[in-house]
Amino acid sequence: MSESRSVPAGAAPAAAARLESFSYDDAIVRKFLFATILWGFVGMLIGLIVAIQLAYPEWNLAPYLTFGRLRPLHTNAVIFAFAGNAIFTGVYYSTQRLCKARMYSDGLSAAHFWGWQLIIVAAAVTLPMGFTQTKEYAELEWPIDIMIAVVWIIFAINFIGTLIKRRERHLYVALWFYLASIITVALLHIFNNLVIPAGAFKSYSIYAGVQDAFMQWWYGHNAVAFFLTTPFLGLMYYFMPKAAEGPVFSYRLSILHFWTLVFMYIWAGPHHLHYTSLPEWATTVGMLFSVMLWAPSWGGMINGLLTLRGGWHKVADDPILKFMVIALTGYGMSTFEGPMLSIKTVNSLSHYTDWTIAHVHSGALTWNGFLTFAMIYWLAPKLFQTELYSKKLMNTHFWIATVGVVLYIVSIYSAGVTQGLMWRAFDETGRLQYPDFVETVARLIPMYWVRVVGGTLYLTGVILFAYNILKTWARRPAGYVVSVIQAPALAREYVEEPLRPGIDVPASAWGRFVNLTFHRKWERAPVLFSVLTFVAVAIASLFEIIPTFLIKSNVPTIASVKPYTPLELAGRDIYIREGCVNCHSQMIRPLRFETERYGEYSKPGESVYEHPFLFGSRRIGPDLAREGGMKSNLWHLRHFQNPREVNAKSIMPAYGNLITDDLDFESIQRRVDVMAMLGVPYGEAIGRAPEMARAQARLIGADLDQTGGGPGFETKEVTALIAYMQRLGRDIQGDQGAVATKPGATPARAPAAGAQP
Amino acid sequence: MSLTELMSGANLDGYAQISLLLFLFAFALILWRVFSPRFTEQYKRDARMPLDDEHPQTPRTRGE
């Protein structure tokens, strides 16, 4: 392997004797680059499969490859595997160069890389097996969560260590974005994933109901903010000037962009829970801060686009700049739409519909996807020390992917608005115009097929991208040239520079304060900077979280609400395992079109024993909050066996495994015990949960036998799930446990109109 | 008295407004700092950092 040497031209002669030699670790960047491409392909392929499953339900192959199990795999793969590895690619490349230092430890870099890939493989294995905590983007079970925390800390040490040993006085703004992301993601991950294990791959959140929902969307929104936004902004502030060959339009604006995002983003999470049982004040705060986010987000987008000032002619010829322009445009579109969707009246239409899915994908496919493509196309010739294999192929990728994005988002926006309007439509007599939920789903199928076409185009673009990069890699030299850089080490003492030529910083404390020299010091001190960022994020979080947890009136209890029976708890765990929450909400909003369709709106006190909460965020199927007693046990059995047997237009997967698989009664005790540890008043179930579960299962089994379902279901998993279904929403109606699921119970409610026996 | 009772009795109706004022104060402080003309030269130099992979823009103490 050959080496080239270069000495910084700006090094002062007096300091030349103290020059330090070093080289950048590009091998780790190459590893992350390949991982980005591999997991990008895998994650998007799974996305295409779940898109097809919605249009053509026969593609669901129970138990491992159903929509409910694959959808979290898709989201985790594209967020943490594709975008995650892309972030690390860019961070490892740019941090070393911005700090004029090699990464703090090659060993930590390697541990970070292999640890992260191990986590991804663990996710790919456990999610299809049904091991899930069910909270969106935080589905992975507790052993993997611990691995994530360990690997993230390794990354943080390596990153902050590099900042400490840097040779550049000022920390460039991209490094601020990276640092904020590292700190905040650690905070979010740890607090949202606090659970009590109930088995090797089973746990219950320590939070319940409304409080759990609050924690989840504090996490969920900020996972988007601090995983898909701020680190990518850091990448943009580094790679956009590189690609445009000029400095960022306004460095001032980039600083403003940073602090306003860090301070504001963390408050916005409650807008995911509008009209739910979350306190109104919390959702209002979330909405206000979301709307305020318009300004910094657009400031950042404009700052990025204006970096091309004077060089717009290059965009026509350079596909890398084309990718970047579309990425920034996508950032602008989605950060305009996000605040708009957070406005309560708009949200009442969009929430639970495909509009949210379109919003997420308009940002992810362009901002995250296109920026990643641009960055890797720019990096590949430098990392592989050869020319890019084909600029023409890169251009083809750009156009195929752009058309794919347009088809995807236009069809899914249409689907979202269509479904939202159909849900709220009343006829001239004041009744719901589309009372049968499945009508509102069937109307979307053509749009789902258009999405499949769009997704196929986007994935085709990724295949071209992978081919182009691999062919470039194949043209690499026999040995990489490792440049040796020389630069002086930073001196420990630093004399503040004059504010203007000839005017020194005032010596007095007040003089230093009004001249804001403290901010300049922060910018040079990575550890202090980390602490301040943490404080900004933590204060905002505590302002929202503490009242929700500690003010009794926010979650008024309801005397009639009791814990689930052991069998119902086992059924709830099956509901979680199968990912039913990906399609069914359990949260009726206090809106007329909701209460007309589903019944009484949901109360905060109804979910006080819900570890974790199951409010859901999307309705591909109807809300189930008041499902109990609406249909017979036999209907549920037939429905799980083959949904299209009872509803021809249903797109729900068939769950034959629930009919054939035996329920593990013995494991119920441990689950009940953990729930009791969390404060759920289980009483007599502590010590005899399996016995109680068997007694209730025998009743349901007998009912199924008598009504024509056949014998032998009392030992099957489906019985537990039926018990859970029949319990939903019953506590506040005074008819708990009806429909022959409990000893002596009788049906107290007539099935809903149109419901089949 | 437990923390829950304390918080419940604290009458935090104006919470949203307090958070908004806090934000506005911090925002004003940052605006003042960022747009002060005295830092123009520093920012120009800082903005060029990504363009040079080898030479530190602010390498050592003043005068060295």
Side-chain angles (χ1 to χ4, degrees):
Chain A
M1 188 172 288
S2 57
E3 291 184 349
S4 67
R5 286 182 172 274
S6 63
V7 178
R18 284 175 287 180
L19 287 179
E20 294 177 340
S21 298
F22 59 97
S23 59
Y24 300 131
D25 179 10
D26 285 342
I28 191 68
V29 184
R30 284 188 282 268
K31 286 193 180 82
F32 276 117
L33 184 149
F34 283 121
T36 304
I37 297 172
L38 171 68
W39 295 122
F41 172 74
V42 172
M44 291 175 206
L45 178 65
I46 298 166
L48 183 59
I49 292 170
V50 294
I52 295 172
Q53 285 176 330
L54 288 179
Y56 187 67
E58 281 72 15
W59 266 53
N60 285 280
L61 300 174
Y64 302 113
L65 303 177
T66 55
F67 178 85
R69 294 196 190 190
L70 286 185
R71 192 259 184 182
L73 183 58
H74 163 60
T75 53
N76 279 271
V78 292
I79 295 173
F80 301 110
F82 170 64
N85 278 301
I87 292 166
F88 302 140
T89 304
V91 167
Y92 274 83
Y93 184 86
S94 59
T95 300
Q96 296 183 82
R97 284 157 176 85
L98 287 170
C99 292
K100 307 295 180 291
R102 192 179 179 87
M103 290 306 294
Y104 174 67
S105 160
D106 287 1
L108 289 181
S109 298
H112 176 201
F113 176 78
W114 291 111
W116 196 254
Q117 310 318 312
L118 184 64
I119 288 164
I120 295 167
V121 171
V125 172
T126 57
L127 288 173
M129 291 177 75
F131 298 131
T132 174
Q133 289 181 172
T134 204
K135 293 162 83 167
E136 277 183 83
Y137 324 129
E139 287 93 347
L140 300 176
E141 267 296 355
W142 64 273
I144 307 174
D145 282 340
I146 293 172
M147 285 167 62
I148 293 171
V150 170
V151 172
W152 200 258
I153 289 168
I154 288 172
F155 174 41
I157 293 170
N158 205 16
F159 180 80
I160 294 173
T162 311
L163 298 190
I164 290 170
K165 73 169 199 177
R166 73 194 188 281
R167 297 179 180 84
E168 183 76 78
R169 180 71 59 187
H170 177 68
L171 291 173
Y172 183 67
V173 73
L175 299 171
W176 306 11
F177 279 102
Y178 301 157
L179 199 56
S181 306
I182 292 169
I183 292 163
T184 312
V185 166
L187 186 74
L188 297 166
H189 173 74
I190 290 169
F191 282 95
N192 189 45
N193 285 297
L194 291 177
V195 297
I196 304 283
F201 283 96
K202 179 65 194 170
S203 61
Y204 295 113
S205 171
I206 65 165
Y207 317 107
V210 171
Q211 291 160 349
D212 194 37
F214 192 95
M215 285 302 289
Q216 159 58 20
W217 286 112
W218 170 75
Y219 164 88
H221 182 78
N222 290 303
V224 174
F226 288 92
F227 210 91
L228 297 179
T229 306
T230 51
F232 278 86
L233 285 169
L235 299 181
M236 186 275 284
Y237 278 119
Y238 181 79
F239 287 100
M240 189 69 171
K242 283 280 195 190
E245 297 173 333
V248 66
F249 171 69
S250 168
Y251 196 69
R252 288 191 157 105
L253 200 53
S254 70
I255 294 174
L256 204 60
H257 190 191
F258 172 81
W259 280 115
T260 43
L261 280 192
V262 165
F263 197 82
M264 281 198 248
Y265 246 128
I266 205 78
W267 300 79
H271 71 223
H272 287 259
L273 295 162
H274 282 329
Y275 298 111
T276 67
S277 45
L278 193 72
E280 197 268 347
W281 68 263
T283 58
T284 301
V285 171
M287 180 182 81
L288 284 173
F289 275 87
S290 304
V291 171
M292 286 196 289
L293 275 168
W294 253 323
S297 301
W298 271 56
M301 175 198 66
I302 291 166
N303 203 10
L305 287 176
L306 287 180
T307 299
L308 288 167
R309 67 199 180 286
W312 279 99
H313 59 282
K314 294 181 196 167
V315 178
D317 296 328
D318 186 353
I320 292 175
L321 289 178
K322 284 184 197 170
F323 275 113
M324 284 192 170
V325 168
I326 295 290
L328 276 163
T329 311
Y331 175 64
M333 276 172 52
S334 51
T335 55
F336 174 83
E337 189 188 18
M340 185 178 75
L341 290 175
S342 77
I343 296 169
K344 291 185 181 183
T345 43
V346 180
N347 193 271
S348 73
L349 173 68
S350 71
H351 195 48
Y352 297 127
T353 75
D354 274 319
W355 192 343
T356 310
I357 315 300
H359 165 60
V360 170
H361 282 82
S362 76
L365 295 174
T366 55
W367 169 238
N368 303 113
F370 276 40
L371 194 67
T372 299
F373 301 143
M375 179 185 77
I376 289 180
Y377 278 128
W378 186 88
L379 278 173
K382 287 150 189 78
L383 292 174
F384 303 133
Q385 299 177 2
T386 183
E387 289 196 354
L388 188 73
Y389 172 69
S390 171
K391 186 177 171 183
K392 194 175 172 185
L393 209 54
M394 176 166 53
N395 208 34
T396 308
H397 172 198
F398 171 79
W399 286 111
I400 287 181
T402 302
V403 173
V405 170
V406 171
L407 286 177
Y408 187 112
I409 62 174
V410 168
S411 61
I412 299 305
Y413 277 127
S414 307
V417 175
T418 300
Q419 198 172 32
L421 292 175
M422 288 178 81
W423 288 348
R424 60 171 56 200
F426 288 96
D427 63 19
E428 59 276 10
T429 65
R431 285 177 290 196
L432 287 171
Q433 192 169 349
Y434 305 100
D436 191 355
F437 186 89
V438 81
E439 282 183 87
T440 71
V441 179
R443 190 70 67 87
L444 311 182
I445 301 301
M447 301 170 216
Y448 283 173
W449 279 116
V450 176
R451 167 166 62 181
V452 169
V453 175
T456 305
L457 286 175
Y458 197 87
L459 185 64
T460 305
V462 170
I463 293 168
L464 296 181
F465 165 64
Y467 178 75
N468 206 354
I469 299 299
L470 285 174
K471 292 295 278 184
T472 306
W473 171 76
R475 294 162 66 166
R476 71 195 183 285
Y480 290 119
V481 175
V482 179
S483 295
V484 177
I485 318 289
Q486 290 186 309
L490 281 189
R492 189 170 288 275
E493 297 301 322
Y494 182 68
V495 179
E496 193 64 57
E497 292 178 60
L499 298 172
R500 289 180 194 143
I503 305 174
D504 280 336
V505 177
S508 68
W510 176 248
R512 294 179 70 77
F513 176 76
V514 296
N515 282 291
L516 291 160
T517 52
F518 58 87
H519 194 282
R520 196 69 188 169
K521 278 191 174 175
W522 296 355
E523 294 167 18
R524 296 195 302 267
V527 176
L528 177 63
F529 198 90
S530 307
V531 171
L532 289 169
T533 307
F534 175 82
V535 167
V537 168
I539 285 177
S541 304
L542 292 174
F543 259 73
E544 280 188 332
I545 291 169
I546 287 178
T548 313
F549 278 69
L550 292 180
I551 299 178
K552 283 178 182 172
S553 60
N554 279 331
V555 188
T557 52
I558 301 171
S560 61
V561 172
K562 305 293 182 199
Y564 291 111
T565 66
L567 187 68
E568 290 159 1
L569 180 64
R572 188 175 190 271
D573 285 342
I574 293 170
Y575 183 93
I576 289 171
R577 183 190 74 193
E578 298 302 336
C580 304
V581 73
N582 289 295
C583 298
H584 295 282
S585 59
Q586 289 185 28
M587 173 53 61
I588 302 168
R589 296 176 291 177
L591 303 167
R592 188 182 159 225
F593 63 87
E594 295 252 319
T595 53
E596 285 286 318
R597 186 182 297 277
Y598 301 117
E600 180 71 10
Y601 67 87
S602 301
K603 315 288 190 296
E606 286 184 90
S607 56
V608 291
Y609 303 131
E610 298 271 335
H611 296 271
F613 81 111
L614 292 174
F615 294 177
S617 65
R618 173 78 182 96
R619 288 178 185 152
I620 299 169
D623 187 279
L624 299 176
R626 303 269 176 249
E627 182 64 17
M630 300 295 284
K631 312 216 174 54
S632 68
N633 293 334
L634 181 62
W635 186 93
H636 283 293
L637 176 72
R638 297 283 183 243
H639 191 237
F640 289 127
Q641 241 170 350
N642 181 5
R644 277 156 293 287
E645 191 178 301
V646 294
N647 194 332
K649 293 179 183 173
S650 172
I651 61 170
M652 183 169 132
Y655 288 98
N657 55 310
L658 300 179
I659 313 297
T660 56
D661 290 354
D662 287 331
L663 182 66
D664 180 5
F665 283 95
E666 297 310 314
S667 71
I668 297 175
Q669 187 63 61
R670 188 165 184 186
R671 295 168 189 226
V672 166
D673 292 347
V674 171
M675 281 289 186
M677 278 174 65
L678 290 167
V680 180
Y682 258 108
E684 62 169 338
I686 300 171
R688 52 185 295 263
E691 181 191 334
M692 292 171 68
R694 283 196 178 90
Q696 191 180 0
R698 277 195 293 275
L699 273 172
I700 296 173
D703 179 67
L704 288 171
D705 194 16
Q706 286 167 13
T707 52
F713 288 109
E714 62 273 16
T715 59
K716 304 300 179 190
E717 285 190 334
V718 71
T719 304
L721 191 51
I722 290 173
Y724 173 62
M725 287 285 121
Q726 297 291 18
R727 174 67 184 276
L728 290 174
R730 306 293 287 271
D731 284 7
I732 64 166
Q733 295 166 348
D735 58 352
Q736 181 181 330
V739 198
T741 65
K742 279 195 164 183
T746 52
R749 268 201 299 175
Q756 298 181 35
Chain B
M1 180 183 279
S2 72
L3 187 58
T4 302
E5 287 166 335
L6 191 71
M7 292 294 288
S8 299
N11 192 19
L12 297 173
D13 294 346
Y15 228 72
Q17 289 89 332
I18 291 170
S19 62
L20 191 66
L21 287 175
L22 266 178
F23 162 74
L24 285 175
F25 176 72
F27 187 71
L29 209 63
I30 293 166
L31 267 181
W32 180 25
R33 164 67 169 80
V34 166
F35 287 100
S36 169
R38 66 190 65 162
F39 298 109
T40 302
E41 288 308 313
Q42 284 177 4
Y43 286 139
K44 275 186 183 170
R45 195 177 53 204
D46 295 342
R48 299 197 64 81
M49 285 178 67
L51 303 176
D52 191 333
D53 288 348
E54 298 187 353
H55 305 131
Q57 300 291 307
T58 49
R60 295 189 60 78
T61 59
R62 184 161 59 112
E64 289 193 42

